[in-house]
Amino acid sequence: MSLGPLPGFRDFYPNELAERSFIFGAWREVARRYGFVEYDGPPLEALELYTRKSGEEIVGQLYNFTDKGGREVALRPEMTPTLARMVGARANALRKPIRWFAIPQLFRYERQQRGRLREHFQLNVDIIGEPSVTADAELLAVAIDIMRAFQLRSSDVVARVSDRRLLEGYLRAVGVPEASLPAAFAVIDKLERVPRAVSEEKLAGAGIPAEARARVLDVPCATLDDVAAALGDAPHRAVLEEFRRYLDYLRALVGDDAEQWVRFDLSIVRGLAYYTGIVFELFDVKGELRAICGGGRYDNLLASLGGADLPAVGFGMGDVVLGELIRARSLMPSAAPAIDTWVAVADDASTTDAMRVAARLRARGRSVEYALREQKLARQLKAASAAGARETVILAGADLARGEAVVRRMADGEERRVNLDAWIAEG
RNA sequence: GUGACUGUAGCUCAAUUGGUUAGAGCACCGGACUGUGGCUCCGGGGGUUGCGGGUUCAAUUCCCGUCAGUCACCCCA
């Protein structure tokens, strides 16, 4: 029992890798159906790529070091800066809107806890260069279809959608002073986890009047109509119209059960960093896990990172929480090993005979194993069974002399005598 | 980075008030079964009881430290 993996890092034994591949496979398949194409970038980047926009304080959250050439570098904590750079470098040459996805391994130097490691794989899906809300709808539709690809239903997962502009307008309309908006955002972000009294106290401390405080605390319950009523004829009217079209588009894309999948929830804040419009998060309905996926519109980010000035929408979906949910709902397929054929030898047949047959089967694309050392037939069949072989071909010297062999179907033990050449040819 | 709780075989767990050589099930390897797997029976390997120190005649057990894990903060992906 020597050194294990570093804290927050994972070993992927064949079983775990099979689960990971299952998740990646579904991600790629759904992304492909929506016409997204896969890209990737380097896992190690210049530290400045991350500090330029986020400031030096982000360094505490990064795996960073000085390389042997004296360069300050960091393992990537997110994909968007890399994406911005790649798009920026060829902005004029790329067909718009750009529909790209990636499955980067991301790193973060933070104390680990459930669903949150120091390393994870995250599906990133982005549409760049399309300001219309159709792109927002397309994006959430991908995320929901990915849930469906895992056999998750709207009784398992719900998308909560909000719009930072609506939230801001609503807060102003109900009497939150301009200067208190950031504090109000922070409280709203934590409403679910913090006792109501504590939240109220914080709002009071931020200088928000009592009447407005009550409205802020009820933000999670505010309906789209409530928001419309509060906003009146303010300039936010257009945003409201846009949001209603968004929901219409979702009904068209997701289907009749779109209402079950999507819930308006103004309290979704999403770190409030660079999002400029509609934002969403996917949660397990039982509320036992962290967010499965989060994303939204970030129209200014690419320009501020020094790339092209293009509007964008995107989301990230990590493999850790998603994997937990899939396992919790018993939707993770078992990763039993399965080979096509086991080649066994009996009597005076030799390992060399098994090798020759195995080679011919393998050349025809079959997955084939045989005993690497001499074993009794019973032992070989046991190994064949453990390896998940569908069938075992039993070679014996006398049969081989006639060009024959016995093929045993492992499921029920039924055996038939075959002409070896013909049998290999039909495989 | 802060706090609370928890660390015994690959996994799930035992081990009397501190008391011989730390056990069991599952898993793994082998035998019973010299040409037939799954079942059964038998056997085997595998532990510095996370690590280090302390108290004691004696520590898996009590104390301290440390590392790791879980959870909650912080923060976010």
Side-chain angles (χ1 to χ4, degrees), chain A residues 209-226:
Chain A
E211 196 172 318
R213 288 208 292 273
R215 302 292 291 272
V216 173
L217 292 173
D218 286 334
V219 156
C221 306
T223 65
L224 197 52
D225 289 336
D226 293 336

Side-chain angles (χ1 to χ4, degrees), chain A residues 65-86:
Chain A
F65 57 96
T66 309
D67 75 7
K68 292 178 179 175
R71 283 174 287 262
E72 292 298 322
V73 296
L75 290 168
R76 61 186 172 196
E78 56 171 328
M79 198 58 177
T80 310
T82 300
L83 173 64
R85 186 192 65 218
M86 290 171 65

Side-chain angles (χ1 to χ4, degrees), chain A residues 4 8 12 32 65 75 131 136 160 166 169 178 186 211 239 244 252 282 292 295 301 310 329 337 388 395:
Chain A
F12 288 90
R32 183 197 63 77
F65 57 96
L75 290 168
D136 297 78
R160 306 204 305 209
L166 289 182
E178 183 75 31
E211 196 172 318
V239 176
R244 291 210 159 100
L282 260 49
I292 298 159
L301 185 65
L310 290 169
R329 299 289 179 278
L395 310 179

Side-chain angles (χ1 to χ4, degrees), chain A residues 345 349-356 370-375 395:
Chain A
V345 295
S350 69
T351 298
T352 318
D353 294 321
M355 287 171 165
R356 289 200 189 91
Y370 60 90
L372 292 176
R373 58 182 165 164
E374 289 188 15
Q375 288 178 322
L395 310 179

Side-chain angles (χ1 to χ4, degrees), chain A residues 27-95:
Chain A
W27 281 349
R28 290 200 167 98
E29 167 55 20
V30 178
R32 183 197 63 77
R33 287 186 341 225
Y34 278 76
F36 289 86
V37 291
E38 188 167 5
Y39 72 98
D40 198 1
L44 194 67
E45 292 272 17
L47 179 64
E48 196 197 341
L49 187 65
Y50 307 111
T51 56
R52 191 189 300 161
K53 197 61 198 142
S54 309
E56 290 297 325
E57 62 274 15
I58 197 179
V59 176
Q61 317 258 53
L62 296 181
Y63 260 100
N64 69 296
F65 57 96
T66 309
D67 75 7
K68 292 178 179 175
R71 283 174 287 262
E72 292 298 322
V73 296
L75 290 168
R76 61 186 172 196
E78 56 171 328
M79 198 58 177
T80 310
T82 300
L83 173 64
R85 186 192 65 218
M86 290 171 65
V87 168
R90 299 192 184 176
N92 293 332
L94 295 168
R95 178 175 65 88

